[in-house]
Structures are given as structure tokens and as C-alpha cells.
Amino acid sequence: MRRTRIAGAVLLAGTVTGLAAGPAQAQEYRYWSFWDGKGSSWAYAAQGPATLRPADGAVEGFRFTVGADSAAAGKPRGAADFDAICRDTPAKDGRKRIGIVLDFGTAADAPGGERPPKARTECAQVSEDASAGEALAAVARPLRYDANALLCAIAGYPKAGCAEAVSGSKGQASSAAPSAGAAGDRDGTDGKGDGSGDGGPSAGLLGGVAAVVVLGAAAVWQARRRRG
């Protein structure tokens, strides 16, 4: 019986993840994408800002974009140039400096009635163990999150909405992105993308559901075991 319950939980978790990685990827979303600076280029981040802990001298980029997956997401248009971004911020003992590139996207990608602010760069000086999300919070407030700790706005942009589906894009349109965000604290985003080009906003948004299903099933099993 115990093996049956565990197998059922794993199967259900796999089903949810499969739904996230399937045809829904064709649906485009308007969201903040997260990038690692790699010399003069950008790579779609393999972790979310809440878990990634960049080393001193790293550059992290955030781009407001419309896309269905990491391959289609718009990259930050500013250079990942740490020396240029942090040249006016002296190094301090016990602190690290992280270059932050903020690209608010194009007018075409902006929600109706809003105009994207000008792109900018910031040098975040934070504790040595700080995450990329904490570095972002140090230089780009106000940040706005939804009830599932999904990052919706940086520096107040956009004013409303959170990872909404874009009507008229490929696939079946919906009024909003799946409501389940990836688990994490509120110093980062939902961790969209895995750098492979196969994942996307929908996969990142729903990825946390599988973990919730597994944890919930385990809790139910433990409770029944105690009662037995």
C-alpha cells in the first residue's frame, strides 16, 4: 500500500510537469526573463534569482519580454560589462559587487497603456552570500510579486498584471498564466527556463506544482501511518 501511494504521487507530479512542458509552451507570455552575463554575451539562467548566488564580479540581466520559451525570449540589450557597470563602486571587505542590467523591453512588448522605462545598469554591493534576487532588490525597488512569489514587476514596471498570456500568439490563448509559481522566497523570480531552449514561461510557472504534489502526498501518507 505504501509503495502504491508513493508511486501515485510521483505519477501525478510527472503528469503536472508534463502538462507544463507540452503544447502549452506554444502560448506566449509577457514576463520578466532572467539571464547570466557570459563575457560579452548572455545565457538564459539555469536557476532563478532566489537560488542563484553569483560570485563577486558577475553580471545578471533582467529583460521584460514576450515569448513562449527560452529560445524565443528577448535578451538584455545592454552589455554584460562588469568593469563598466561597477567602476564607480569601490570594493569592500566582506561584500561582493554584482552588475545588474535592466532592460524594460520594447513598446511592442509593453502592456496596453504603458511605456517601458529606459534601460539602465546598476552595481549592487551586497553580502558575500547574497542571491541574485537580493542584489536586484538592493538596486531596483519597488519589486512586485503575486501570491505565489512570482516576480511581476521590477522598479514598478509594469504597473499591473503578472506573466499574462498574450492573445493572438501561437497555441491556445488564455486570460492569464497558470497561477502556480515556483516555490521560493521573495528575493527572486520564478526561475523560468533551464537554458536548454526546451523550457519556457509555462514550464517555469508550473514547475513548482510537482513539488507541492509530492510534498502533499508525503504528508498525507505520514499522517495515515501515525493514525495506523
Side-chain angles (χ1 to χ4, degrees):
M1 180 65 75
R2 182 175 67 181
R3 291 181 179 177
T4 301
R5 292 194 185 104
I6 294 174
V10 173
L11 177 61
L12 181 55
T15 301
V16 174
T17 305
L19 287 174
Q25 289 180 10
Q27 172 64 57
E28 291 185 319
Y29 292 89
R30 181 181 287 113
Y31 71 106
W32 277 102
S33 59
F34 176 47
W35 302 80
D36 289 326
K38 303 292 184 182
S40 59
S41 62
W42 294 99
Y44 205 97
Q47 298 182 55
T51 57
L52 179 65
R53 299 189 183 280
D56 179 74
V59 179
E60 307 300 333
F62 296 83
R63 166 75 187 264
F64 193 72
T65 187
V66 170
D69 54 37
S70 57
K75 298 180 180 180
R77 289 167 291 180
D81 188 341
F82 174 80
D83 291 336
I85 296 171
C86 289
R87 61 188 172 193
D88 296 327
T89 304
K92 289 183 180 180
D93 290 340
R95 309 282 285 177
K96 65 182 178 183
R97 294 173 297 166
I98 307 298
I100 301 293
V101 175
L102 300 175
D103 187 335
F104 296 87
T106 66
D109 290 342
E114 293 200 54
R115 176 177 294 181
K118 291 183 179 180
R120 71 177 200 249
T121 61
E122 302 284 352
C123 185
Q125 193 163 64
V126 290
S127 63
E128 291 179 329
D129 64 345
S131 67
E134 289 170 324
L136 175 66
V139 297
R141 292 185 182 275
L143 305 181
R144 178 169 56 82
Y145 297 85
D146 72 357
N148 299 296
L150 173 65
L151 181 64
C152 304
I154 296 176
Y157 181 81
K159 295 178 181 178
C162 194
E164 297 121 327
V166 177
S167 61
S169 63
K170 303 173 187 176
Q172 186 174 6
S174 60
S175 59
S179 59
D185 53 36
R186 293 200 169 207
D187 63 359
T189 70
D190 63 328
K192 303 180 184 74
D194 60 2
S196 66
D198 296 327
S202 55
L205 287 169
L206 283 175
V209 176
V212 171
V213 170
V214 172
L215 291 173
V220 170
W221 172 75
Q222 287 179 352
R224 289 179 177 174
R225 184 182 181 188
R226 291 192 190 100
R227 287 197 299 268

